[in-house]
Amino acid sequence: MATKYVFVTGGVVSGLGKGITAASLGRLLKTRGLKVASQKLDPYINVDPGTMSPLQHGEVFVTDDGTETDLDLGHYERFTDENLNKYSNLTTGKVYWNVLNKERQGAYLGQTVQIIPHITNEIKSYIYNLAKSTEADVVITEIGGTTGDIESQPFLEAIRQVGLEQGLENCCYIHVVLVPYISGSDEYKSKPAQHSVKELQGMGIAPNVIVLRADGPVGADIKRKISLFCNVRPDCVIENLTMPSLYECPLMLEAAGLTTVVARQLHLDTPPSDLTEWKELISRIATRSKTCRIALVGKYVKLHDAYLSVMESLYHAGFENESKVDIKWVDSELLTSQVHCEEQLADVDGIILPGGFGDRGIEGMVQAAQYAREQGVPYFGICLGMQIMVIEYARNVLGYADANSSEFTPDGEHNVIALMPDQQGNIPKGGTMRLGKYPCAVAAGTVLRACYGTDHVDERHRHRYEFNNDFRTEMQNSGLVICGTSPNGRLVEAVELPGRDFHLGVQFHPEFKSRPNRAHPLFKGFIAAALRYQAAQAETGPMPVV
């Protein structure tokens, strides 16, 4: 079967949930036996989001092959349970970077390099290469931004050309639009959607399906009006409503007929969607009987999307522990002493420290790690959070008051976290870290092994600094357990405290591999420990510290 292509665009405003719509459709098509690959085309001029502030753009999601991508790819992987690759994210910056490098190398044989065909050909090459590299039956491509943005125009032109090249019977264009509610007149308004579709049609793209983003049912009259004025069949106007859980969206869109109309447009002969597994997931979500509170101590907590995958992984772990997870967002800059930690953290059942860069808020994270160790609160450190755990241990157990990371004190005497040997010198910021999937050997008799249940795992990394082996023997002799290493034993990948239910730090990012219907083992173990801690607190008061 020839590969089919679905393009998801948006109008009126950004943040409408194009990514969730695309991810949900991917899951629905997969339940019909189709192999699906997902992709995000971002109009911004950065080469990739790797150097962008998390407070501006949210988290950077990393694929197995080490590509730093937009956070929407996390939604794609979580919903479809398919690992993505370097062709799954493309920016304007990367397009021009590639085209200009080709021009410098003479690849265009002296031609005048132009938007059409050179820029659009580069965009199309990523669409086609994703189809080829994954052997997908259906490629779902989301266009970032909104229709009408200047920077989006080459991407829209490229997907218009794909329709011509592949045949419109092999392409489906889905346009997601806002239908605002006007409280003064107590009605939903269709005019913004009409204008957005008109703008898209002006680019040569006639949407086949229009998804209406609204907080409640818009009514049959609005749907009929949009169908008539936007030139789509009535059953191709689909509501995408705000749901209690984003994981309910596939079921809602299936009930609204999205999968059926997309399959019809693409001439796909498939069995009905088998949503048994997904319905069981939603049932588990709805029947949770417990609640635990987790403090997420970070430096980017003003924008929750900066920790999106961590947040979702905590929720996934809650699903499998029959527990709701209430995240308490704690700004690490506020934790200037153990007194402040007591004020902020006394009511939580677990503490998680996620990744980050730069020295702002670091001392507060060290305070949080000390509080968790001294008070016996379950602790989970990820990437920077693992490094903070090591720094705190060196300061307060080994007695090195100046213990730190060479990221923060380059000339420090006791930098227990340091640059990797091949990262020394003045190197560019973008794409030069340890990125992507690497193997880890898991030590027997450890909490890490108990969670994984195996002696070997593969996890994704995104960091430049490592545990400093100059202090390795001393830390082990003082009691710190090195529970995960690279297969050759050279790199420390995970550490834990002995005699604790869960006090663990990992250099990698397990949150990138968690799935709603298959929580990551470490997050699952962390939430289970938090629930045990909660139960012990209720029965006997504070747990004794080992």
Side-chain angles (χ1 to χ4, degrees), residues 122 124 127 146 152 160 210 224 259 272 279 297 317-318 432 458 477 497 503 513 522:
E122 186 68 23
K124 289 186 295 182
I127 298 171
T146 59
S152 297
R160 183 194 68 81
I210 298 177
R224 278 195 297 268
T259 329
K279 288 178 179 177
V297 181
T432 56
D458 294 301
N477 289 341
L497 293 185
H503 196 108
K513 296 183 71 174
L522 297 186

Side-chain angles (χ1 to χ4, degrees), residues 201-342:
Q201 290 171 336
M203 297 292 297
I205 297 172
N208 307 108
V209 180
I210 298 177
V211 173
L212 310 182
R213 188 71 178 84
D215 290 332
V218 301
D221 289 344
I222 292 292
K223 294 174 70 173
R224 278 195 297 268
K225 182 183 288 188
I226 289 175
S227 167
L228 178 63
F229 282 81
C230 298
N231 197 34
V232 297
R233 294 170 62 160
D235 64 348
C236 292
V237 180
I238 306 289
E239 287 182 326
N240 184 355
L241 308 180
T242 302
M243 304 298 289
S245 166
L246 61 88
Y247 298 114
E248 294 181 43
C249 289
L251 299 182
M252 173 192 62
L253 291 172
E254 173 70 14
L258 178 63
T259 329
T260 299
V261 298
V262 169
R264 183 182 66 204
Q265 171 63 28
L266 295 176
H267 300 275
L268 291 169
D269 184 13
T270 67
S273 302
D274 182 2
L275 293 167
T276 304
E277 183 182 12
W278 206 258
K279 288 178 179 177
E280 291 174 354
L281 165 66
I282 300 305
S283 177
R284 286 200 303 274
I285 294 173
T287 57
R288 291 169 291 171
S289 58
K290 296 172 283 189
T291 300
C292 67
R293 195 170 206 202
I294 302 298
L296 192 155
V297 181
K299 55 198 296 182
Y300 313 122
V301 295
K302 292 178 181 177
L303 181 67
H304 294 179
D305 273 358
Y307 302 112
L308 181 60
S309 289
V310 172
M311 181 170 62
E312 293 301 328
S313 297
L314 289 170
Y315 296 152
H316 302 163
F319 301 161
E320 295 197 23
N321 281 286
E322 299 180 358
S323 176
K324 298 176 183 178
V325 176
D326 174 23
I327 299 176
K328 182 176 184 179
W329 300 88
V330 179
D331 187 339
S332 61
E333 289 189 278
L334 301 178
L335 303 179
T336 58
S337 69
Q338 287 300 290
V339 172
H340 290 131
C341 286
E342 178 69 25

Side-chain angles (χ1 to χ4, degrees), residues 45-79:
I45 302 178
N46 303 66
V47 173
D48 61 43
T51 58
M52 296 172 71
S53 167
L55 288 171
Q56 184 177 101
H57 193 68
E59 75 170 8
V60 175
F61 188 84
V62 179
T63 58
D64 275 351
D65 62 8
T67 305
E68 295 176 288
T69 75
D70 181 82
L71 59 80
D72 272 318
L73 270 72
H75 288 311
Y76 302 160
E77 286 206 1
R78 285 187 286 272
F79 275 73

Side-chain angles (χ1 to χ4, degrees), residues 155-174:
F155 292 99
L156 295 175
E157 171 59 23
I159 66 173
R160 183 194 68 81
Q161 293 178 19
V162 172
L164 290 179
E165 295 170 359
Q166 302 300 315
L168 293 177
E169 70 279 5
N170 293 316
C171 295
C172 180
Y173 297 92
I174 300 175

